[in-house]
Amino acid sequence: MAKLTGRTALVTGASRGIGRATAIRLAQEGALIAVHYGHDETSARETVDAIEKDGGRAFTVRAELDVPGDVDVLFQSLEQGLAEHVGATTLDILVNNAGISEKGEPGTFSGEQFDRLFAVNARAPFLVLQRALPNLADNGRVINISSALTRLAKPDEVLYAMTKGAVEQLTLHYAKHLAPRGITVNTVAPGITDNGSAVFSMPAVVEQMARYSAFNGVARAEDVAHVVAFAASDEARWVTGAFLDASGGSLLG
């Protein structure tokens, strides 16, 4: 039997990249997946189609994560979808993956850019987890996707790194808060990962990016999804509040 049979999972930002790979991987282990997307319904449907083609179960939920009331909209759709599929609104696994990034000269970022990145990357995971508390099953799993950039200095991505530092604090404090219920809360931190963007089709650029990894390569989204699947499994029941480095050794120096 698959390790997550009978479980339910919400993966935010699951229409592409690490989110899509994670949704597919958790579905392969038997979980019913709520595939969240913000704007690209076609890509979200492609994630669902890939899951169903593989014999899994999934449905889409839409919510923008940078506008007031977005989290309530998300959970209205989530609870409706869960009720239709399993007759209950219990959530076993939450993966806070949705995020955006911007690069620029450190001295040129605007207040609007700051607000938008923090709204999607930090505010939303906080509010999603907070709203999920009544739904989360005892012995459930919360996985927050961060970044190796919280351990490296890359000035042109300072705002993105700051938001992910906030996510890691969310992990730390909620791991302590939810431990009495047996719920684990962990951070998975990818490094450079092929998310399907055009830049990953440029060999010279990929070769340069690969130098950050101890393996001299660029991760596939599936590589990170395997780490998330471990954190979501029963085998990870004694791991909480952890920073799981999924950067391919980018932090080794």
Side-chain angles (χ1 to χ4, degrees), residues 72-133:
D72 289 333
V73 170
L74 170 61
F75 273 83
Q76 288 170 8
S77 297
L78 173 66
E79 290 171 348
Q80 179 180 346
L82 291 175
E84 291 174 355
H85 283 80
V86 298
T89 59
T90 301
L91 185 65
D92 297 291
I93 301 162
L94 167 62
V95 182
N96 271 317
N97 165 77
I100 57 175
S101 64
E102 289 194 34
K103 295 183 180 181
E105 287 296 318
T108 64
F109 286 114
S110 68
E112 289 77 12
Q113 287 174 298
F114 180 98
D115 290 343
R116 182 164 182 262
L117 260 71
F118 267 85
V120 176
N121 295 1
R123 169 187 173 273
F126 171 78
L127 292 178
V128 168
L129 177 50
Q130 188 178 65
R131 176 60 180 80
L133 293 179

Side-chain angles (χ1 to χ4, degrees), residues 18 27 57 104 112 137 189:
I18 291 171
R57 298 185 301 154
E112 289 77 12

Side-chain angles (χ1 to χ4, degrees), residues 6 41 44 107 119 166 177 192-193 202 206:
E41 181 179 5
H177 178 62
I192 297 174
T193 304
M202 302 175 185
V206 171

